[in-house]
Amino acid sequence: GYRAGGVNQHPRLDAQNRPYNPEHLLNFEVGYRTISARSTTSLTVFHAMRSDQQVSLSSQQDPGDPNSFFYFTANAAGGRVSGIEVERSYLIAPSLRISTAMGLLRTHVDAYTSSTADSLGNRAAAHAPHNTRRYAVDYAGKGGLFAGLEYTSTDRFYHSDSHDQQADAHRLVHGRLGYRHGPYTVAIWGRNLLDKRYTVRGFFFGLAPPDYTETLYKSYGEPRQLGLSLSAAFQ
């Protein structure tokens, strides 16, 4: 794999931080899949080695000016990514199916330095949770009624390559209920049914005077959403 280099365009960025080099990736992957009338199972194992790994760093160029905070792309040292993905689907009745998925991920960014910090890396990559899980039950009756319930779990992860603040683990529940007749489908659905508050991004910089102490500012995921969908398929 190959990711092209380029130039950061922010006008306040130091000249030495404007260009960044290409990243090269060597990935090894092996998988197994089996399909029967009632079940489907797949297993994937992978390991990747990254050279001149591109990372997204943040910097507040002027300690007294929060508007000078921005992200830019830079090169770390090497890194590696290893993981296992398992998916399983099973038809326990003619109209009822259960499915599960699990992901185990281990990442590492080698230690490196940049103009914004003396020491970075030597830890897991940003936005790379160690564990993810999904469990789902789906019903599809012959009369057109269908329903589904899904539970997802995401482990904690680093918000950014620039700091060590982490997002907490979170668990979400989604569901849907509908009816299908010929080409027409009507469904009610809900996302994040338990209305959990969880973070998806984190920004760490000084905003409040007079000391402009570095503080974590969080961006949250979507709250509970409920909706009604109507659709028609024409052939």
Side-chain angles (χ1 to χ4, degrees):
Y2 170 84
R3 181 183 291 177
V7 178
N8 295 290
Q9 299 295 326
H10 200 284
R12 294 194 181 186
L13 191 63
D14 292 339
Q16 62 178 335
N17 292 327
R18 289 184 179 275
Y20 56 92
N21 298 323
E23 175 186 341
H24 295 83
L25 173 73
L26 182 61
N27 185 66
F28 303 89
E29 183 175 312
V30 61
Y32 173 78
R33 176 175 295 175
T34 176
I35 300 174
S36 68
R38 299 177 64 91
S39 66
T40 301
T41 303
S42 64
L43 169 67
T44 303
V45 180
F46 60 89
H47 178 74
M49 296 180 293
R50 304 175 68 174
S51 176
D52 285 331
Q53 179 175 346
Q54 292 180 8
V55 292
S56 179
L57 301 181
S58 61
S59 172
Q60 184 169 324
Q61 299 293 291
D62 183 354
D65 181 9
N67 291 321
S68 67
F69 175 86
F70 52 87
Y71 277 88
F72 65 95
T73 302
N75 292 98
R80 57 186 181 272
V81 180
S82 301
I84 301 174
E85 296 176 345
V86 181
E87 296 183 7
R88 171 75 169 168
S89 175
Y90 188 76
L91 192 67
I92 60 176
S95 56
L96 189 63
R97 178 179 295 273
I98 59 174
S99 57
T100 62
M102 181 184 67
L104 301 177
L105 182 65
R106 295 294 182 270
T107 64
H108 185 81
V109 181
D110 295 340
Y112 65 99
T113 60
S114 76
S115 62
T116 61
D118 294 333
S119 179
L120 294 171
N122 195 29
R123 50 153 243 208
H127 295 279
H130 287 174
N131 303 287
T132 56
R133 294 183 177 89
R134 174 185 176 272
Y135 306 96
V137 179
D138 292 286
Y139 171 82
K142 294 182 179 179
L145 183 68
F146 63 89
L149 189 65
E150 180 184 41
Y151 170 89
T152 63
S153 172
T154 302
D155 200 5
R156 63 189 309 176
F157 57 86
Y158 286 107
H159 281 299
S160 171
D161 293 300
S162 303
H163 57 80
D164 291 330
Q165 308 298 317
Q166 296 188 54
D168 293 331
H170 63 267
R171 298 165 180 82
L172 304 176
V173 178
H174 316 295
R176 59 192 176 96
L177 175 66
Y179 178 76
R180 184 178 295 108
H181 179 73
Y184 305 103
T185 301
V186 58
I188 56 174
W189 51 267
R191 303 282 300 172
N192 190 8
L193 290 173
L194 301 181
D195 201 23
K196 294 291 186 178
R197 198 174 191 218
Y198 62 99
T199 56
V200 293
R201 295 292 303 274
F203 309 92
F204 193 63
F205 65 106
L207 178 62
D211 297 328
Y212 294 98
T213 303
E214 289 191 327
T215 304
L216 177 64
Y217 298 93
K218 301 177 181 179
S219 177
Y220 292 95
E222 295 177 339
R224 181 193 294 125
Q225 297 182 75
L226 302 175
L228 173 67
S229 298
L230 302 172
S231 62
F234 300 98
Q235 298 182 351

